[in-house]
Amino acid sequence: MKQTLQSILTASDAVLFPAISRNHSLNSVFCITESDVFRCNEEIAVFLQDPDFQNCLCKQDFVDVLFILKGNCTCRFYKTDLAAPLESVFLSKHSFCIIPHQVIHSFSPDPDCQILHIFFKLDSLKSHYSDLISANNMLLLFCSNMLYRTHYWNYLYFSVSYTDKLDTLLAEMYEEFHHKQIFHQNMLYYSAGMLFTLMERQSLSHICVSPSNPLRLVRYDQIYSYICDNYPMTSARTIAEYFHISQSYLCKLFHENGTTVTTVIQEIRLQQARSLLEQSDLSVQNIAELVGYHDLTYFIKLFKRYFSVTPYQYRKKYQSTKKLLQPTIT
């Protein structure tokens, strides 16, 4: 018979938060590094909140996904330093809270509160889970900003329906990390993917983030306008970085609009090239470079595919047509 998560966490050998956390100073921010938490080749770690760690200011070099299994907890967040106004968040039973790296925070749990921490290295989240988070919701936007740029939001939290499936999943993650059997990290990768999927399936309309930093959805027309202004040097990577979203989300957004990022960039570049062929005496080589193509052969090939003629043929045909249309002076 499988044990419940609560029965596992109340056992005498429960894995508390890393022992190094006890060596903190109440008058300063304690910085927890990856080496304090992760062993060699580990990218996911699972711990129970240490009671001795409450009310201590800290920040970590990794992402903390915490779950309130029992009781309640008040979390306090600071934007950049202790002089800035803090934000207090009340986390009730069966709430998740995602805390990005380098956010100063503290925990004030009730006496009977039980908190499970699932720690992720940033690279692990990028490589394994960015595609699991679907488009156009706050969970995606929060994680994208957290992973791909300096974050603007100190936290994200939401309550869930605590099902047997979720209890089993969290219990298995805890035990995999605690017992460290062969390939335990592989099992944790799989379980974490399941966890994000369950989060998605829950009602995410009650997600809350730092109130001073509201999340905004990125629209297709905003990205299209950006490409028009930056077409010579832009790419899927630079667009994703500018809008603080993952490339997988960017591709999904364009797919929903019946096209691809590469197609839109090519179309805008080639339309600009056509205008330069019509309105300037610049060489085809110079025009290709101005619109973002440094391989002349490749540019000519794309131009012909799009307009059915080469750039040289297009200019010649345009000039001939223009000359025919000019009025004759008698």
Side-chain angles (χ1 to χ4, degrees), residues 49-117:
Q49 172 80 21
D50 189 336
D52 292 343
F53 196 58
Q54 62 182 348
N55 297 315
C56 298
L57 294 171
C58 64
K59 62 180 180 179
Q60 72 274 344
D61 288 342
F62 42 86
V63 177
D64 184 2
V65 178
L66 65 89
F67 179 71
I68 309 296
L69 177 64
K70 180 182 177 183
N72 303 303
C73 178
T74 299
C75 295
R76 296 178 176 83
F77 299 91
Y78 299 81
K79 294 183 184 300
T80 54
D81 56 57
L82 301 182
L86 63 83
E87 295 176 7
S88 293
V89 176
F90 179 78
L91 300 177
S92 58
K93 181 180 178 180
H94 299 161
S95 294
F96 277 102
C97 184
I98 303 177
I99 305 176
H101 61 299
Q102 297 301 314
V103 169
I104 302 174
H105 61 281
S106 66
F107 300 105
S108 297
D110 291 347
D112 63 340
C113 183
Q114 286 183 322
I115 305 175
L116 185 72
H117 294 268

Side-chain angles (χ1 to χ4, degrees), residues 183-191:
F183 301 130
H184 74 283
Q185 283 291 302
N186 294 36
M187 293 297 293
L188 285 170
Y189 291 145
Y190 171 78
S191 298

Side-chain angles (χ1 to χ4, degrees), residues 270 273 277 284 287-288 296 299-304 307 309-317:
L270 293 172
L277 287 169
V284 173
I287 290 174
L296 180 59
F299 167 71
I300 294 172
K301 181 180 179 180
L302 283 179
F303 192 95
K304 186 174 182 180
F307 294 107
V309 293
T310 68
Y312 305 100
Q313 292 168 335
Y314 181 88
R315 172 174 271 172
K316 184 176 181 179
K317 184 178 180 180

Side-chain angles (χ1 to χ4, degrees), residues 53-223:
F53 196 58
Q54 62 182 348
N55 297 315
C56 298
L57 294 171
C58 64
K59 62 180 180 179
Q60 72 274 344
D61 288 342
F62 42 86
V63 177
D64 184 2
V65 178
L66 65 89
F67 179 71
I68 309 296
L69 177 64
K70 180 182 177 183
N72 303 303
C73 178
T74 299
C75 295
R76 296 178 176 83
F77 299 91
Y78 299 81
K79 294 183 184 300
T80 54
D81 56 57
L82 301 182
L86 63 83
E87 295 176 7
S88 293
V89 176
F90 179 78
L91 300 177
S92 58
K93 181 180 178 180
H94 299 161
S95 294
F96 277 102
C97 184
I98 303 177
I99 305 176
H101 61 299
Q102 297 301 314
V103 169
I104 302 174
H105 61 281
S106 66
F107 300 105
S108 297
D110 291 347
D112 63 340
C113 183
Q114 286 183 322
I115 305 175
L116 185 72
H117 294 268
I118 306 173
F119 299 138
F120 294 87
K121 286 185 177 179
L122 288 175
D123 290 341
S124 176
L125 281 177
K126 288 181 181 179
S127 60
H128 292 283
Y129 308 114
S130 60
D131 290 340
L132 293 175
I133 304 171
S134 61
N136 289 311
N137 66 46
M138 288 187 176
L139 181 59
L140 167 86
L141 295 178
F142 180 86
C143 292
S144 295
N145 278 270
M146 177 175 66
L147 296 175
Y148 294 97
R149 66 168 296 170
T150 302
H151 53 265
Y152 282 94
W153 304 299
N154 291 345
Y155 57 84
L156 176 146
Y157 72 94
F158 53 95
S159 298
V160 297
S161 298
Y162 195 62
T163 62
D164 290 342
K165 182 179 290 187
L166 180 58
D167 182 270
T168 299
L169 182 61
L170 293 174
E172 288 176 349
M173 292 184 72
Y174 176 86
E175 294 221 290
E176 282 291 343
F177 181 76
H178 178 42
H179 296 300
K180 299 188 186 300
Q181 297 181 11
I182 187 171
F183 301 130
H184 74 283
Q185 283 291 302
N186 294 36
M187 293 297 293
L188 285 170
Y189 291 145
Y190 171 78
S191 298
M194 290 291 292
L195 178 62
F196 281 110
T197 301
L198 289 176
M199 287 180 180
E200 286 265 82
R201 290 180 177 179
Q202 293 279 357
S203 174
L204 298 182
S205 59
H206 301 297
I207 282 182
C208 297
V209 296
S210 308
S212 58
N213 299 291
L215 290 165
R216 296 181 174 87
L217 295 176
V218 179
R219 302 193 312 271
Y220 174 82
D221 62 297
Q222 292 175 309
I223 299 176

Side-chain angles (χ1 to χ4, degrees), residues 287-303:
I287 290 174
E289 293 177 353
L290 283 172
V291 299
Y293 295 109
H294 299 283
D295 185 333
L296 180 59
T297 302
Y298 180 64
F299 167 71
I300 294 172
K301 181 180 179 180
L302 283 179
F303 192 95

Side-chain angles (χ1 to χ4, degrees), residues 227-241:
I227 296 174
C228 289
D229 293 337
N230 301 276
Y231 63 88
M233 301 297 292
T234 200
S235 65
R237 180 182 60 80
T238 58
I239 294 169
E241 289 177 351

